[in-house]
Amino acid sequence: MPAGKSFLMGTLSDQARERFWIIGSLLLILLTALFLRYASGISGAGPRFDEKYITIPMFELMESGWSVETAIDYEETKGPALIWPYALLGNWFGGDLAGLRQVSCLLFVLSGIPLLLLSLRCGVTGVNLLLAMLGFMLLPYELVLSQLVMGEVSFVFGALFLVLSVLWGVGGFRRSDALQPERGHPVAGPIVYCLLLFVLLHSRVHAVALAGAACLAVWQLSGIRSWPWWLASIVAGLLRIPLWVRWGGLVSPEYQNLHGLGFRLESLTYLGAALVPLVGVFLIVFLWRYRYCRWWFLAPLGALLGLVLAVVAMPDLSIPEVLDTTVQHDRYQGVLATAVLLAGGGGQLTVLLLGFACVIGLASLGAFAALAFELPPDEGLGLLARLQVWALIIGCGLYMLTRGFVFDRFLLVWAVALSILWCRLLPRWLLGMQLLAMLVIAGRLVGVWLWQSPA
């Protein structure tokens, strides 16, 4: 057989294998979503958790029709970019709670498409595509929220496309092992990014962290030439102001006592501790292999910050029995709060465990940053790593300027592509341990949120 023909056959074989893993990854997320939907019986169950609040404006739109009162002047913490699509699609799926939940399930499955596109752009190939998809599904709360009407699933779907638009617009190199050049889109990229950011900002203000992360990541690559991305972020942000003015705050008037602007360090302590399941694994890699890299000081700096916060800003994990929207109060709830309360019994040991978790969490975030900043920024992997680091830093930092509720699941909307970095930066044995830990957390959450009685 001629050499050229033999090479072509080998190339086609590689392409076929790649398609196999892509299709297998999409089947994995589809079958998982369907299994949870029918095995748990959630499609026919009553409202769970925040569904009794978030579905009110959706049902009003479906039952009363579209008007300024139903489409804009409703009472909820989420913006119209979340409420409107659910009302439209939910009406097609039956107009009831089961139909709205089907929208969440659909968006969860469709999120696999931008995740795979990001994975391929960052050099994830073969079985690692399947592992990246598995890691994405096992991100804390992702599986359970895929079956409920909550704000995170649709936001994650859009956030993945937002991150993809940044990598697509910048271009650079596709992967570190093959160095395949990718043409950037310096005009179309920022425009697409601006439109996506505009939509996400009208879903929830958490998109501010992704905007800041995109600007800083591109600035680390291009310096002053990153100005189109800054401009696009500013324009999208300005377009959010009319809704802010109409509502008189970040959220609708009825919920402004629960979510608003303010200053508190306790939220940094809690979110820093809640980072442990997501980025704690990077501290292991850092101490094992890369403790002498140029940015090594970020890990001990993060640990020092965590220690200071644990000493001066310890949050109160007690939860009021009744939700009173007329009273301002803070509330910290999620996997971390449950774990430290169970282990510490609510006493002094709980405080020590939460403080220790904050030290480890922020040290891990520093280690993650040290690893990310070592990667070449002109490669997809390096740019994505920087974007994820900045999203977590800015996202947690923003809660220093807010008051109200702080939940672990808020981290999910800033960690949308973290599973790709697990696959590229972790050795296989450590990747397996990380996925196993995520599986345990996800299993517990699925059992509580989907199978147990409504809360």
Side-chain angles (χ1 to χ4, degrees):
M1 181 180 295
K5 187 174 181 180
S6 176
F7 173 77
L8 178 60
M9 292 294 289
T11 302
L12 291 175
S13 179
D14 290 341
Q15 292 175 351
R17 283 196 293 268
E18 203 79 346
R19 285 196 297 270
F20 170 80
W21 290 113
I22 291 173
I23 295 172
S25 300
L26 293 174
L27 283 175
L28 175 65
I29 193 171
L30 173 62
L31 294 177
T32 301
L34 293 176
F35 172 78
L36 285 177
R37 181 171 176 82
Y38 294 107
S40 67
I42 192 64
S43 59
R48 300 288 175 92
F49 300 90
D50 291 352
E51 285 185 321
K52 55 189 173 184
Y53 306 112
I54 197 172
T55 57
I56 292 176
M58 298 174 185
F59 284 130
E60 286 181 352
L61 274 174
M62 290 187 291
E63 295 169 1
S64 302
W66 292 71
S67 65
V68 173
E69 289 74 18
T70 58
I72 298 178
D73 293 336
Y74 56 83
E75 294 295 343
E76 230 298 309
T77 60
K78 308 303 185 296
L82 168 70
I83 303 300
W84 296 357
Y86 267 87
L88 285 170
L89 295 174
N91 213 14
W92 295 345
F93 290 139
D96 55 4
L97 181 58
L100 291 174
R101 285 171 172 167
Q102 197 167 339
V103 177
S104 293
C105 193
L106 175 64
L107 292 173
F108 168 69
V109 173
L110 292 179
S111 296
I113 297 174
L115 182 81
L116 286 175
L117 293 174
L118 277 172
S119 300
L120 292 170
R121 187 167 287 272
C122 292
V124 179
T125 59
V127 69
N128 282 332
L129 289 170
L130 191 69
L131 295 176
M133 185 68 75
L134 178 62
F136 167 73
M137 293 191 302
L138 294 179
L139 286 171
Y141 294 97
E142 181 67 12
L143 280 180
V144 292
L145 296 178
S146 72
Q147 305 300 319
L148 301 175
V149 187
M150 302 281 278
E152 285 77 11
V153 172
S154 63
F155 188 92
V156 167
F157 172 72
L160 284 168
F161 276 107
L162 181 78
V163 174
L164 182 61
S165 73
V166 176
L167 270 65
W168 174 76
V170 170
F173 292 98
R174 182 166 188 161
R175 60 180 64 172
S176 57
D177 56 349
L179 292 181
Q180 299 176 4
E182 286 283 328
R183 183 174 63 88
H185 300 81
V187 177
I191 292 175
V192 172
Y193 161 81
C194 182
L195 294 174
L196 290 170
L197 180 59
F198 165 76
V199 173
L200 287 178
L201 285 171
H202 281 77
S203 175
R204 57 197 304 162
V205 293
H206 294 80
V208 171
L210 295 176
C215 291
L216 290 174
V218 178
W219 175 77
Q220 286 185 299
L221 169 65
S222 305
I224 192 65
R225 290 178 295 175
S226 64
W227 68 265
W229 300 92
W230 293 87
L231 179 61
S233 298
I234 292 172
V235 171
L238 291 175
L239 292 174
R240 178 61 166 75
I241 292 178
L243 184 61
W244 186 323
V245 172
R246 187 173 186 89
W247 280 357
L250 296 176
V251 297
S252 62
E254 183 178 328
Y255 290 92
Q256 287 178 13
N257 282 325
L258 306 183
H259 300 277
L261 297 178
F263 180 80
R264 58 175 173 176
L265 293 175
E266 290 81 2
S267 59
L268 292 182
T269 307
Y270 185 81
L271 289 176
L275 284 170
V276 173
L278 293 173
V279 298
V281 68
F282 292 115
L283 182 60
I284 299 175
V285 175
F286 173 80
L287 295 174
W288 177 37
R289 285 185 176 178
Y290 300 104
R291 58 186 180 276
Y292 301 115
C293 67
R294 288 177 300 168
W295 299 91
W296 63 270
F297 59 88
L298 293 178
L301 183 63
L304 178 61
L305 176 60
L307 180 61
V308 172
L309 288 172
V311 172
V312 305
M314 183 58 59
D316 179 7
L317 300 184
S318 61
I319 300 174
E321 294 183 2
V322 179
L323 177 61
D324 187 354
T325 60
T326 64
V327 178
Q328 293 186 13
H329 63 272
D330 295 338
R331 182 173 179 177
Y332 305 90
Q333 194 172 0
V335 172
L336 175 77
T338 300
V340 297
L341 285 171
L342 288 175
Q348 189 61 31
L349 181 57
T350 298
V351 175
L352 293 175
L353 289 174
L354 183 58
F356 178 72
C358 181
V359 173
I360 298 299
L362 291 182
S364 301
L365 184 59
F368 181 26
L371 297 174
F373 294 163
E374 286 294 308
L375 298 171
D378 59 347
E379 297 176 8
L381 180 65
L383 186 61
L384 179 65
R386 284 166 169 77
L387 202 153
Q388 281 283 227
V389 166
W390 286 119
L392 290 171
I393 292 175
I394 297 173
C396 293
L398 285 175
Y399 268 85
M400 180 176 62
L401 305 176
T402 67
R403 53 177 171 76
F405 291 2
V406 178
F407 299 141
D408 293 38
R409 68 176 186 266
F410 291 168
L411 294 173
L412 171 64
V413 301
W414 304 316
V416 291
L418 202 55
S419 64
I420 298 173
L421 300 174
W422 290 341
C423 290
R424 286 302 312 267
L425 301 181
L426 303 183
R428 187 56 60 90
W429 66 271
L430 193 54
L431 174 61
M433 291 180 59
Q434 176 66 14
L435 293 179
L436 180 61
M438 292 295 97
L439 179 61
V440 172
I441 294 174
R444 170 63 179 170
L445 290 171
V446 166
V448 171
W449 285 58
L450 301 185
W451 262 275
Q452 289 186 8
S453 59

